[in-house]
Amino acid sequence: MGRPPCCDKDGVKKGPWTPEEDLVLVSYIQEHGPGNWRAVPTRTGLMRCSKSCRLRWTNYLRPGIKRGNFSDQEEKLIVHLQALLGNRWAAIASYLPERTDNDIKNYWNTHLKRKLQAAAAGGDAAAKPVSQRPSSSSKGQWERRLQTDINMARRALREALTSLDGVNAPAPKDAAADGVAAAAADSDSPAASSTSGGSLSLSQCSPSASGPYVLTTANISRMLDGWTSKASGPATPGGAADSPSGSSASDVSYGGGLTATRVLRAAFDYERKPAVLAPAQTPLSEFETWLLDDDNNNGHGVPAMVYPF
DNA sequence: AAAACGAACAACCGCAGCTTA
DNA sequence: TTAAGCTGCGGTTGTTCGTTT
């Protein structure tokens, strides 16, 4: 299990991504789908390491990401889940598909932690996070840990949903806890994208306060809004169709008729896979039902709860 | 007006675990 | 069965931007 020579100094660019790099990445993912990150730098010519590409995609470019402006409900949900799951941001993020684990982690570190400390000082004991996860993580005990995770996730979900009346808590994008690895075949799976007919459309992405450049998710969605797509096929350069009439002024042209709108739209189309139905459209998946079921053995122990889907 | 400070966020690093040959 | 390769995760750092002095 040697450490891969990823991100090794030579020739690997670091630092902020440029719009050009973003477009290259998005265009590649549009064609090949997310995954096989190892191949991305070589195939795209990006001077980035695979990790960087994956991170950029999952934390920033992936459609359906909401940025900034955490609502009260989201805040409470995060606090709740953090109290139960600890700093397992990926697991927490699975309950907030519009948010990335990085975002949640940042928000926790910059806002919520301080808030909770203040609250704790004020006697808000309920807000105190569980400092440690259950200590069942030793090797060979993964089954127990898995069960613990599932139980915790179940509790978290139920409590969060019952306490947050009206929260549009979406279904987990993958298995409830990261321990449910088998169920979470691929965290980059379409389930990660709540946009697939889900509760959040691209055009509903909240505008980011101040993106570094035009390719924020908000601006991307704005660009897409105006695009009446007749152009079909992959984002290949060339052709009159590359200048869709609705193309906004903010669209970015990269020559050869390759525009940001086209590339990104195509990429988003890729993400809109039919596999995942929106929570609003689906009642409860078997897994969700099971997850919410207090003791999944009897199937009748579900306490009265509000399921705001 | 400018410097100092702090908050927010993007990105990197290294480890752990899963997959595959 | 095992080791190498790859991906995902959480912690941490660096940079940018806004606010205060």
Side-chain angles (χ1 to χ4, degrees), chain A residues 1 15 23 72 76 79 124 130 169 175 210 229 243-244 279 297:
Chain A
M1 238 200 273
L23 277 169
D72 282 352
K76 286 174 188 169
V79 169
D124 186 3
V130 173
S210 57
S229 166
S243 302
N297 293 326

Side-chain angles (χ1 to χ4, degrees), chain A residues 11-301:
Chain A
V12 176
K13 189 179 170 194
K14 291 181 182 179
W17 281 63
T18 66
E20 289 81 5
E21 288 175 312
D22 281 346
L23 277 169
V24 169
L25 181 60
V26 167
S27 141
Y28 175 85
I29 290 171
Q30 174 263 315
E31 263 187 65
H32 300 91
N36 195 13
W37 296 109
R38 186 74 180 170
V40 172
T42 49
R43 290 193 182 177
T44 59
L46 286 169
M47 306 301 284
R48 299 277 181 173
C49 75
S50 56
K51 272 176 157 184
S52 186
C53 294
R54 178 177 57 80
L55 219 57
R56 184 64 180 170
W57 171 255
T58 55
N59 286 339
Y60 202 87
L61 296 173
R62 178 168 60 87
I65 294 177
K66 197 161 88 180
R67 310 193 69 78
N69 299 325
F70 279 74
S71 67
D72 282 352
Q73 287 88 356
E74 285 175 312
E75 225 175 69
K76 286 174 188 169
L77 188 57
I78 292 168
V79 169
H80 237 87
L81 291 168
Q82 202 280 340
L84 289 161
L85 297 173
N87 293 354
R88 302 167 69 185
W89 306 116
I92 292 172
S94 69
Y95 292 93
L96 295 135
E98 297 163 12
R99 305 290 188 179
T100 68
D101 54 355
N102 205 37
D103 240 11
I104 293 171
K105 180 172 60 181
N106 281 335
Y107 190 69
W108 174 266
N109 287 330
T110 56
H111 293 85
L112 297 179
K113 200 151 75 172
R114 223 170 299 146
K115 237 180 184 178
L116 284 175
Q117 278 164 359
D124 186 3
K128 281 178 189 156
V130 173
S131 55
Q132 299 295 331
R133 314 200 298 239
S135 58
S136 54
S137 58
S138 60
K139 274 194 171 177
Q141 296 186 327
W142 69 271
E143 289 101 339
R144 211 185 314 167
R145 183 186 166 195
L146 173 63
Q147 190 56 54
T148 306
D149 284 347
I150 291 167
N151 289 338
M152 287 196 306
R154 203 181 283 150
R155 272 175 47 210
L157 180 59
R158 191 172 56 247
E159 289 181 26
L161 293 179
T162 50
S163 67
L164 301 175
D165 191 21
V167 180
N168 184 18
K173 70 185 175 190
D174 59 13
D178 55 0
V180 193
D186 181 3
S187 65
D188 280 328
S189 70
S193 170
S194 65
T195 58
S196 23
S199 58
L200 176 76
S201 72
L202 285 169
S203 59
Q204 288 171 315
C205 290
S206 64
S208 88
S210 57
Y213 48 75
V214 68
L215 287 177
T216 61
T217 47
N219 286 341
I220 288 167
S221 69
R222 229 180 297 139
M223 289 193 287
L224 297 183
D225 277 345
W227 195 49
T228 54
S229 166
K230 287 201 182 79
S232 57
T236 51
D242 287 327
S243 302
S245 56
S247 203
S248 75
S250 64
D251 203 355
V252 183
S253 176
Y254 291 91
L258 181 65
T259 65
T261 297
R262 178 163 192 168
V263 170
L264 293 167
R265 172 56 178 257
F268 294 160
D269 281 346
Y270 173 86
E271 285 290 309
R272 290 197 198 97
K273 294 172 189 164
V276 174
L277 296 174
Q281 295 170 333
T282 358
L284 284 177
S285 71
E286 276 183 38
F287 178 76
E288 289 155 4
T289 308
W290 172 81
L291 181 64
L292 289 163
D293 188 350
D294 219 3
D295 19 68
N296 53 343
N297 293 326
N298 59 27
H300 303 295

